[in-house]
């Protein structure tokens, strides 16, 4: 019998470690993941590439802050899928 003080199951731990992304960060993340490039995402949103990069850097920083660092697009895709922010159907 366990005392209940052991580590949390992965499904619960993952939910507790999900970063709080703003609605704009979610919009940019989703569009960028569906786009072929940052340039295409920036064009679709009518914003600069620098703005895209700033938002993506903030998203990565938020994931790092909750102990789930990512360094590239595939890593952000995996995190977004794990957290239910995007689905395979919308990609």
């Amino acid at each position: 019998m366990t005392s209940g003080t052991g580590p949390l199951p992965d499904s619960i731990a993952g939910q507790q470690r999900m970063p709080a992304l703003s609605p704009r960060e979610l919009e940019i993340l989703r569009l960028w993941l569906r786009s072929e490039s940052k340039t295409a995402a920036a064009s679709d949103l009518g914003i600069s590439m620098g703005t895209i990069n700033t938002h993506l850097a903030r998203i990565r920083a938020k994931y790092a802050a909750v102990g789930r660092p990512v360094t590239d697009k595939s890593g952000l895709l995996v995190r977004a899928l794990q957290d239910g922010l995007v689905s395979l159907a919308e990609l």
Side-chain angles (χ1 to χ4, degrees):
M1 190 175 246
T2 62
S3 64
T5 59
L8 294 171
D10 288 340
S11 61
I12 294 172
Q15 289 173 0
Q16 292 180 343
R17 297 182 302 145
M18 188 172 150
L21 301 181
S22 72
R24 185 63 167 172
E25 289 168 339
L26 287 171
E27 177 185 23
I28 288 172
L29 177 63
R30 287 179 179 129
L31 181 61
W32 178 60
L33 290 173
R34 290 190 312 260
S35 297
E36 292 185 23
S37 67
K38 290 179 188 175
T39 304
S43 176
D44 287 349
L45 290 169
I47 59 178
S48 74
M49 211 37 182
T51 301
I52 292 282
N53 286 330
T54 297
H55 281 291
L56 293 174
R58 288 180 183 157
I59 292 166
R60 286 186 187 103
K62 287 181 178 186
Y63 269 106
V66 295
R68 299 171 67 205
V70 292
T71 59
D72 57 18
K73 188 173 188 175
S74 61
L76 278 174
L77 173 59
V78 168
R79 295 291 187 235
L81 288 167
Q82 289 171 337
D83 294 342
L85 302 176
V86 296
S87 68
L88 290 176
E90 61 185 303
L91 297 176

